[in-house]
């Protein structure tokens, strides 16, 4: 039996792992957390940090997988590439992985590739206190090496610079930060499979965020509502971005904003999207597409065929349940919600008795719901209806 090793076991890996097992693969998961959600569905579990390459190398030597995959985990992109290079497995090169995870290297790749992007300023950790923003306010501040909206801040004026730059610096590994032009416009993502160097757009997703100051994602829907002409421009930018960072055989999650000057890149990930975008949502909204299976086959070194885009006629959406300031004392209404015929998934991972704080990143959530409808508006409204049925009780 062939084995597939997942680097990272967060909750959004579950449907990808289930697909791998459906394909007849034995699945292993590496995660530092003994209680990682993916452990419950994996055949084999290895407790180790996915950032510890030597530890992962030893696991690969022992497990002897046919492929290694990040799935929807951005943290493991570089480690996966290092494993693939060392053990001659299918995957991204380490240089490509660095371009896809270091936001400064990514922006430089966009510059070389002529990909529309925000103006930017790179500041190393040691120079943050003395540096002066060279861009017009307001501007975005972010760590160069983090994900999940961690450390993102909107800086409105010069007096806010140091405090927010320091906060962003602390959210990254290196402490280096980027200042970026604040792009005004709707945020979207583009789900892509790159096969033999040719990017194929599978779907475009509309996003809903909290806005300033942290821009946490609170919902997504597919297919994105836009004209065919605009979609063509979006697809062109997404494909060129994938080529610019060097993707050859890889899934990609591409984020951009629709500005008055056209689509401009925010960033991309050399992996599947989290938040069920490339699992529940894409499987419902597109005919004949299963992105999980495509990503798995690529990780195994198989050639894949990608059918032309076909709208399924259904819209799908996800809404997240953010944390609040206080102790979560009770959760009710789950039984009623799970009876709703148009609900595809309801997942709650908030822990009763645990102290939470107001959401400031995509990690600060206690659950989510996925629904479908005839339109994206109907699907989103159904998500909201399901969340209102549930009762999360908080006490300060």
């Amino acid at each position: 039996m062939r084995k597939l090793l997942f680097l990272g076991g967060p909750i959004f890996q579950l449907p990808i792992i289930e697909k791998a097992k459906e394909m007849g693969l034995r699945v292993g998961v590496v995660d530092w957390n003994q209680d990682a959600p993916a452990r419950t569905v994996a055949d084999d579990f290895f407790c180790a940090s996915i950032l510890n390459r030597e530890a992962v190398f030893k696991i690969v030597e022992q497990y002897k997988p046919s492929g290694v995959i990040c799935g929807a985990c951005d943290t493991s992109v570089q480690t996966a590439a290092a494993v693939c290079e060392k053990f001659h497995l299918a995957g991204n090169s380490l240089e490509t992985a660095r371009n896809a995870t270091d936001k400064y290297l990514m922006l430089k790749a966009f510059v070389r590739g002529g990909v529309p992007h925000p103006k930017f300023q790179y500041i190393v950790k040691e120079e943050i206190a003395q540096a002066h923003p060279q861009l017009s306010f307001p501007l975005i501040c972010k760590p160069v090496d983090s994900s999940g909206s961690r450390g993102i801040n909107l800086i409105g004026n010069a007096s806010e610079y140091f405090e927010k730059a320091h906060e962003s610096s602390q959210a990254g590994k290196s402490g280096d930060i980027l200042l970026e032009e604040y792009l005004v416009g709707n945020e979207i993502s583009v789900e892509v499979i790159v096969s033999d160097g040719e990017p194929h757009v599978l779907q475009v997703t509309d996003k809903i965020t909290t806005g300033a100051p942290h821009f946490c994602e609170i919902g997504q829907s597919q297919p994105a509502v836009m004209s065919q002409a605009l979609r063509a421009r979006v697809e062109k930018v997404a494909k060129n971005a994938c080529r610019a960072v060097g993707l050859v055989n890889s899934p990609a999650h591409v984020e951009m904003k629709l500005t008055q000057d056209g689509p401009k890149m925010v960033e991309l990930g050399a992996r599947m999207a989290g938040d069920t975008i490339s699992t529940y949502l894409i499987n419902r909204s597109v005919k004949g597409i299963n992105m999980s299976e495509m990503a798995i086959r690529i990780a195994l070194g198989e050639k894949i065929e990608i059918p032309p885009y076909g709208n399924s006629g259904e819209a799908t959406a996800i809404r997240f349940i953010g944390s609040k300031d206080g102790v979560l004392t009770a959760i009710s209404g789950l039984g009623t919600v799970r009876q709703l015929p148009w609900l595809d998934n309801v997942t709650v991972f908030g822990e009763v008795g645990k102290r939470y704080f107001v959401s400031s990143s995509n990690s600060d959530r206690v659950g989510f719901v996925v629904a479908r409808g005839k339109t994206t508006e109907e699907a989103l409204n159904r998500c909201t209806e399901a969340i209102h049925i549930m009762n999360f009780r908080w006490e300060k």
Side-chain angles (χ1 to χ4, degrees), residues 165-373:
H166 181 65
E167 182 181 325
S168 293
S169 174
Q170 289 186 312
K173 293 185 282 289
S174 67
D176 299 347
I177 63 169
L178 278 170
L179 303 181
E180 290 183 358
E181 169 192 7
Y182 176 50
L183 300 177
V184 178
N186 292 338
E187 187 172 349
I188 62 170
S189 70
V190 188
E191 317 322 319
V192 182
I193 285 286
V194 185
S195 178
D196 292 329
E198 181 59 31
H200 301 265
V201 172
L202 305 183
Q203 186 57 292
V204 182
T205 307
D206 275 326
K207 293 193 173 192
I208 307 169
T209 75
T210 57
H214 300 298
F215 303 93
C216 303
E217 293 174 17
I218 56 175
Q220 290 116 7
S221 59
Q222 295 180 0
V225 179
M226 61 177 60
S227 67
Q228 287 300 315
L230 178 56
R231 183 177 174 114
R233 295 176 69 187
V234 164
E235 291 193 7
K236 181 179 179 180
V237 172
K239 290 178 180 181
N240 287 340
C242 291
R243 295 186 183 106
V245 300
L247 299 183
V248 177
N249 288 293
S250 174
H253 174 62
V254 182
E255 298 179 338
M256 64 180 75
K257 278 201 169 185
L258 305 177
T259 75
Q260 63 179 5
D261 299 319
K264 288 189 177 183
M265 284 297 302
V266 175
E267 59 191 48
L268 66 75
R271 39 85 183 170
M272 296 174 66
D275 299 349
T276 78
I277 291 174
S278 48
T279 52
Y280 288 113
L281 268 63
I282 206 168
N283 293 348
R284 281 282 190 181
S285 69
V286 184
K287 288 180 181 177
I289 291 291
N290 189 292
M291 192 173 184
S292 299
E293 181 175 346
M294 290 179 178
I296 290 166
R297 293 197 182 283
I298 283 176
L300 294 171
E302 298 179 8
K303 297 295 182 182
I304 61 171
E305 291 190 8
I306 303 172
Y309 175 76
N311 192 321
S312 70
E314 277 192 313
T316 54
I318 181 171
R319 290 299 297 256
F320 304 103
I321 307 164
S323 59
K324 295 185 179 180
D325 187 8
V327 175
L328 181 58
T329 60
I331 305 171
S332 61
L334 287 175
T336 303
V337 166
R338 290 186 171 126
Q339 301 297 318
L340 299 174
W342 34 257
L343 199 68
D344 283 342
N345 185 276
V346 53
T347 297
V348 172
F349 36 82
E351 300 176 29
V352 172
K354 184 176 177 179
R355 175 75 162 88
Y356 289 89
F357 298 91
V358 175
S359 300
S360 62
S361 78
N362 291 349
S363 301
D364 301 326
R365 299 165 175 165
V366 292
F368 64 87
V369 296
V370 181
R372 62 187 182 278

Side-chain angles (χ1 to χ4, degrees), residues 364-382:
D364 301 326
R365 299 165 175 165
V366 292
F368 64 87
V369 296
V370 181
R372 62 187 182 278
K374 294 178 181 178
T375 65
T376 55
E377 182 181 14
E378 182 176 56
L380 284 166
N381 286 341
R382 284 175 167 177

Side-chain angles (χ1 to χ4, degrees), residues 4 6 14 31 36 43 45-46 54 76 89 91 124 150 157 173-174 199 211 234 250 258 290 321 346 352 354 390:
L4 183 64
F6 281 76
L14 297 182
D31 200 289
D43 298 299
F45 181 78
F46 304 92
E54 292 303 320
S76 61
L89 298 172
V124 298
R150 285 181 287 273
N157 54 61
K173 293 185 282 289
S174 67
V234 164
S250 174
L258 305 177
N290 189 292
I321 307 164
V346 53
V352 172
K354 184 176 177 179
M390 292 185 283

Side-chain angles (χ1 to χ4, degrees), residues 24-101:
L25 299 169
R26 185 176 182 90
V27 173
V29 169
V30 181
D31 200 289
W32 68 271
N33 180 9
Q34 286 278 10
D35 299 316
R39 184 174 188 170
T40 62
V41 294
D43 298 299
D44 307 291
F45 181 78
F46 304 92
C47 188
S49 168
I50 54 178
L51 297 176
N52 186 338
R53 293 185 189 177
E54 292 303 320
V56 176
F57 288 164
K58 289 179 181 178
I59 291 167
V60 173
E61 287 173 351
Q62 169 195 340
Y63 197 57
K64 295 180 172 56
S66 300
V68 171
I69 187 170
C70 304
C73 183
D74 195 75
T75 312
S76 61
V77 168
Q78 286 199 36
T79 301
V83 167
C84 290
E85 285 195 350
K86 181 176 176 65
F87 295 94
H88 308 290
L89 298 172
N92 292 311
S93 70
L94 195 49
E95 179 184 5
T96 294
R98 291 191 183 107
N99 286 341
T101 50

